C-alpha cells in the first residue's frame, strides 16, 4: 500500500482497545485525539452477485479486522451492542479516544435496500446516546436508499481505489436526519382459513423486519393476529407490489439467474408485462383497485382522522418518505405554488414528520415519472394513515416495505384487516452534495426559495408521450417487447 494511502486511512482506523473489550491500548496507532472519521463497515456478502464478497475483502484489506463485518456471519445488532457497551465503559473511565470515537463514528452498509433498512432499524431501536450517521453502498437491484442520498444506484467498483474514493466521500458527507415510519397490521383470527402474511422469501432478521408480535408485546390484542414493522423509504400496495412479489418469488426459486444487476432489472421489467401492469384494465379486475378493497383514512392534524377519497381507477398506492422509488423516480415531485395553496401540499422533506401518499392507475401512468416534472396522483400528506380492509371485493392483495414484498390475504369473515402507518422517530444518514433528499431545516434547500416550479398536471398526455420509452424496474418496458402488441 502506498504511504500516501496509508496516511489517508489513518483517518478511519479505530484503536483496537475501542473495538475489542479488555484489550490493551495501542499507542502506536493513535495520532492526536484519534481518527478524524472512524468507521464501521457492514457488508452483505450475498448482495450484488460476487461483488459483495469482493467488496468485503477489499475493506478488510484496508481497514482493521474488527471494523468490517459480514452480515452473513454476524448481525448488526450484536456488533453494535457489543462495541457501544465497550465505548460506554471506556467513556465512564474517562478514555478520550472512546469519547471522540463515539462523537465521530460513521457507519457504512453495503447491500440492497433491505440490508440498508436492516441497519437503520437496528440503530434506531438501540436508542444510542449519539446515533452514528449511515452511508449506503448501492449493491442491490433498485438501490433507492443510496440514490436518495447521492451515493448512486449502480453497483460500485470493488478495487482498492474505488473503496478509497468512497471513504473520501464518507469523510466529506453531511449528516441529515430522516423520519422512520412504523407499520402496524392487525386482524381478527379468522374462523376459517388463514389471514397471515405470506412472504416469498426470508426477510432480514432486523428489529424492523415485518413480523408477528409476541403475546407479551403491548401491541398484542387477544383474539387477533398483530404484526409490526418499520420502513424508511416506502410502503406500497397493489399492482407494483404484485410485480415485486413475482420477482422475489422467481429469485427465490432460481437464485443462480439473479447474479447481475442489469439482468435483475430486465427480469423485473418483463414481469411487469407478464403480470399485466401494462394492460391493467384486462388483467386487473376493478374489484382489486384500492378504493374497492377498503377505506383509507389520514391524520393531518394531531388526533383528527378524516376519510381520504381514492379515485376508483387507482390500482397501486405508495406511502413515500424519500424521493426515490422504483429505481430512482420521485412520484410526489415538487408541487408548484398553486398546488401548495389549493391542496395544502408541501415539497417532500425527509424530516418533516409527514408521509406523501401517491396513487398510480397502471404502468402507463407510471411513465409520467420519466418527465422531469412528472408525478403520480397526489392523494395526501399526513402524519398517519390507516387502511381498513373488509370482506368483499378481493380475497388478497400485495404489499411491500422498502422492496420486501408479501401476499396479504384479506378477510373471509365479517372482520377487518387494519394497516396503520405512524411516525416512529428519526435516524441520521450521510448525504453527498448530489443528494436528492431535502431537509426542512436546511436553508440552502431550493424548496425554501419561493420560485415557481413547473408541475405537470396533465398525466394522461404525458403517459401517451412516454409510451415509447422505458423506465427503471416496475415502469420499464423491455427492449425486446413489441409495444404494438401491448396497446
Amino acid at each position: 500500500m502506498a504511504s500516501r494511502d496509508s496516511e489517508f486511512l489513518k483517518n478511519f482506523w479505530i484503536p483496537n482497545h475501542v473495538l475489542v473489550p479488555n484489550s490493551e491500548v495501542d499507542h502506536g496507532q493513535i495520532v492526536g485525539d484519534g481518527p478524524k472519521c472512524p468507521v464501521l463497515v457492514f457488508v452483505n456478502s450475498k448482495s450484488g452477485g460476487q461483488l459483495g464478497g469482493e467488496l468485503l475483502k477489499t475493506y478488510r484489506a484496508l481497514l482493521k479486522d474488527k471494523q468490517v463485518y459480514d452480515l452473513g456471519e454476524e448481525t448488526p445488532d450484536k456488533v453494535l451492542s457489543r462495541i457501544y457497551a465497550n465505548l460506554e465503559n471506556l467513556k465512564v473511565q474517562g478514555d478520550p479516544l472512546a469519547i471522540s470515537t463515539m462523537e465521530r463514528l460513521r457507519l457504512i452498509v453495503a447491500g440492497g435496500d433491505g440490508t440498508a433498512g436492516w441497519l437503520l432499524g437496528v440503530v434506531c431501536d438501540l436508542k444510542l446516546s449519539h446515533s452514528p450517521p449511515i452511508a449506503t453502498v448501492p449493491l442491490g437491484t433498485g438501490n433507492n436508499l443510496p440514490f436518495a442520498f447521492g451515493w448512486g444506484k449502480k453497483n460500485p467498483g470493488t478495487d482498492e481505489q474505488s473503496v478509497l474514493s468512497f471513504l473520501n466521500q464518507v469523510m466529506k458527507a453531511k449528516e441529515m436526519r430522516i423520519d422512520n415510519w412504523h407499520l402496524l397490521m392487525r386482524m381478527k383470527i379468522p374462523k376459517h382459513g388463514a389471514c397471515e402474511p405470506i412472504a416469498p422469501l426470508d426477510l432480514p432478521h432486523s428489529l424492523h423486519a415485518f413480523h408477528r408480535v409476541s403475546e407479551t408485546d403491548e401491541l398484542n390484542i387477544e383474539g387477533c393476529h398483530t404484526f409490526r414493522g418499520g420502513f424508511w423509504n416506502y410502503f406500497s400496495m397493489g399492482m407494483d407490489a404484485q410485480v415485486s412479489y413475482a420477482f422475489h418469488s422467481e429469485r427465490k426459486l432460481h437464485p443462480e439467474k439473479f447474479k447481475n444487476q442489469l439482468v435483475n432489472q430486465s427480469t423485473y421489467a418483463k414481469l411487469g408485462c407478464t403480470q399485466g401492469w401494462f394492460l391493467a384494465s384486462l388483467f386487473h379486475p376493478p374489484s382489486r383497485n384500492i378504493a374497492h378493497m377498503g377505506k383509507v383514512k389520514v391524520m393531518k392534524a394531531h388526533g383528527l382522522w378524516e376519510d381520504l377519497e381514492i379515485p376508483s381507477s387507482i390500482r397501486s398506492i405508495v406511502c413515500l418518505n424519500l424521493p426515490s422509488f422504483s429505481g430512482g423516480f420521485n412520484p410526489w415531485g415538487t408541487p408548484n405554488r398553486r398546488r401548495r395553496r389549493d391542496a395544502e401540499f408541501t415539497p417532500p422533506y425527509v424530516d418533516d414528520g409527514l408521509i406523501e401518499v401517491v396513487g398510480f392507475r397502471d404502468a402507463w401512468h407510471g411513465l409520467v415519472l420519466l418527465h422531469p416534472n412528472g408525478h403520480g396522483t397526489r392523494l395526501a400528506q399526513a402524519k398517519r394513515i390507516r387502511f381498513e380492509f373488509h370482506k368483499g371485493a378481493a380475497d388478497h392483495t400485495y404489499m411491500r416495505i422498502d422492496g420486501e414484498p408479501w401476499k396479504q390475504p384479506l378477510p373471509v369473515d365479517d372482520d377487518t384487516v387494519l394497516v396503520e402507518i405512524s411516525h416512529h422517530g428519526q435516524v441520521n444518514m450521510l448525504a453527498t452534495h448530489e443528494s436528492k433528499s431535502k431537509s426542512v431545516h436546511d436553508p440552502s434547500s431550493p424548496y425554501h426559495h419561493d420560485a415557481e416550479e413547473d408541475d405537470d398536471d396533465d398525466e394522461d398526455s404525458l403517459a401517451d408521450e412516454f409510451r415509447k420509452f422505458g423506465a427503471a424496474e416496475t415502469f420499464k418496458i423491455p427492449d425486446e417487447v413489441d409495444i404494438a402488441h401491448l396497446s
Side-chain angles (χ1 to χ4, degrees), residues 4-5 7-13 34-39 59 104-108 133-135 151 163-175 430-433:
R4 185 177 61 181
D5 291 342
E7 285 298 315
F8 171 72
L9 286 169
K10 287 181 180 179
N11 291 304
F12 307 94
W13 288 339
K36 179 180 178 181
C37 183
V39 296
Y59 271 106
R104 302 171 185 172
L105 184 64
R106 299 188 164 197
L107 307 183
I108 297 173
I134 301 167
W151 300 103
V163 171
L164 288 170
S165 176
F166 189 86
L167 287 171
N168 187 47
Q169 283 186 292
V170 169
M171 187 163 57
K172 295 178 179 178
K174 65 179 180 180
E175 293 189 30
L430 286 171
T432 74
H433 67 281

Side-chain angles (χ1 to χ4, degrees), residues 284-331:
H284 197 268
S287 61
R288 287 172 59 186
N289 292 7
I290 304 299
H292 296 280
M293 289 193 294
K295 295 181 180 179
V296 183
K297 297 183 178 182
V298 294
M299 183 184 293
K300 297 180 181 179
H302 183 68
L304 299 175
W305 286 103
E306 57 185 87
D307 292 333
L308 178 63
E309 183 177 348
I310 306 294
S312 60
S313 60
I314 295 297
R315 297 181 176 89
S316 180
I317 195 168
V318 182
C319 301
L320 192 71
N321 186 39
L322 304 179
S324 181
F325 173 75
S326 190
F329 292 121
N330 180 3

Side-chain angles (χ1 to χ4, degrees), residues 380-397:
Q381 282 178 305
K383 297 179 180 295
R384 305 179 77 166
I385 182 169
R386 177 188 292 169
F387 300 88
E388 297 176 357
F389 302 97
H390 304 279
K391 175 186 177 181
D395 58 2
H396 71 275
T397 187

Side-chain angles (χ1 to χ4, degrees), residues 22 61 89 92 110 152 168 265 280 293 346 362 394 406 448:
N22 303 318
N89 182 49
V92 170
N168 187 47
Q265 290 174 345
M293 289 193 294
T346 67
D362 51 28
W406 72 92
H448 285 270

Side-chain angles (χ1 to χ4, degrees), residues 181-417:
W181 294 90
H182 178 261
L183 186 141
L184 170 73
M185 177 185 288
R186 182 174 289 133
M187 61 204 76
K188 289 185 179 179
I189 298 175
K191 300 173 184 176
H192 307 286
C195 210
E196 299 189 13
I198 303 172
L201 73 168
D202 294 326
L203 297 177
H205 298 290
S206 158
L207 297 180
H208 270 56
F210 195 70
H211 64 282
R212 184 174 174 179
V213 303
S214 67
E215 293 183 0
T216 58
D217 193 296
E218 62 180 7
L219 294 174
N220 184 62
I221 295 180
E222 187 176 354
C224 292
H225 293 314
T226 303
F227 299 82
R228 65 176 300 183
F231 66 94
W232 307 95
N233 193 2
Y234 66 88
F235 164 81
S236 69
M237 177 176 59
M239 281 211 69
D240 73 289
Q242 179 179 336
V243 175
S244 180
Y245 180 87
F247 173 83
H248 283 275
S249 299
E250 184 70 16
R251 184 165 64 177
K252 185 180 180 181
L253 289 173
H254 305 286
E256 71 282 355
K257 297 180 181 179
F258 296 82
K259 299 292 186 181
N260 180 278
Q261 187 182 38
L262 292 176
V263 171
N264 291 356
Q265 290 174 345
S266 176
T267 302
Y268 209 119
K270 291 175 183 176
L271 288 170
C273 291
T274 59
Q275 293 291 316
W277 196 202
F278 285 91
L279 288 172
S281 60
L282 297 178
F283 290 90
H284 197 268
S287 61
R288 287 172 59 186
N289 292 7
I290 304 299
H292 296 280
M293 289 193 294
K295 295 181 180 179
V296 183
K297 297 183 178 182
V298 294
M299 183 184 293
K300 297 180 181 179
H302 183 68
L304 299 175
W305 286 103
E306 57 185 87
D307 292 333
L308 178 63
E309 183 177 348
I310 306 294
S312 60
S313 60
I314 295 297
R315 297 181 176 89
S316 180
I317 195 168
V318 182
C319 301
L320 192 71
N321 186 39
L322 304 179
S324 181
F325 173 75
S326 190
F329 292 121
N330 180 3
W332 184 258
T334 305
N336 60 31
R337 283 198 297 254
R338 180 176 61 81
R339 282 285 175 176
R340 296 184 207 177
R341 181 183 65 250
D342 295 347
E344 300 180 348
F345 290 152
T346 67
Y349 297 109
V350 299
D351 55 354
D352 59 0
L354 296 175
I355 194 162
E356 283 72 41
V357 186
V358 188
F360 290 98
R361 296 187 298 275
D362 51 28
W364 298 123
H365 186 189
L367 292 181
V368 303
L369 299 182
L370 287 170
H371 191 277
N373 301 304
H375 57 84
T377 299
R378 299 186 184 113
L379 300 173
Q381 282 178 305
K383 297 179 180 295
R384 305 179 77 166
I385 182 169
R386 177 188 292 169
F387 300 88
E388 297 176 357
F389 302 97
H390 304 279
K391 175 186 177 181
D395 58 2
H396 71 275
T397 187
Y398 296 88
M399 301 179 182
R400 62 173 172 165
I401 298 175
D402 285 352
E404 304 286 356
W406 72 92
K407 182 179 178 180
Q408 178 58 50
L410 296 178
V412 294
D413 298 316
D414 293 329
D415 299 321
T416 299
V417 171

Side-chain angles (χ1 to χ4, degrees), residues 70-107:
D70 182 351
L71 291 173
E73 298 175 355
E74 194 167 12
T75 60
D77 51 314
K78 291 183 179 179
V79 172
L80 291 175
S81 295
R82 181 176 67 246
I83 290 178
Y84 269 87
N86 191 45
L87 283 169
E88 291 289 352
N89 182 49
L90 292 170
K91 181 180 178 181
V92 170
Q93 299 176 40
D95 185 338
L97 287 173
I99 295 172
S100 66
T101 298
M102 289 182 71
E103 292 175 349
R104 302 171 185 172
L105 184 64
R106 299 188 164 197
L107 307 183

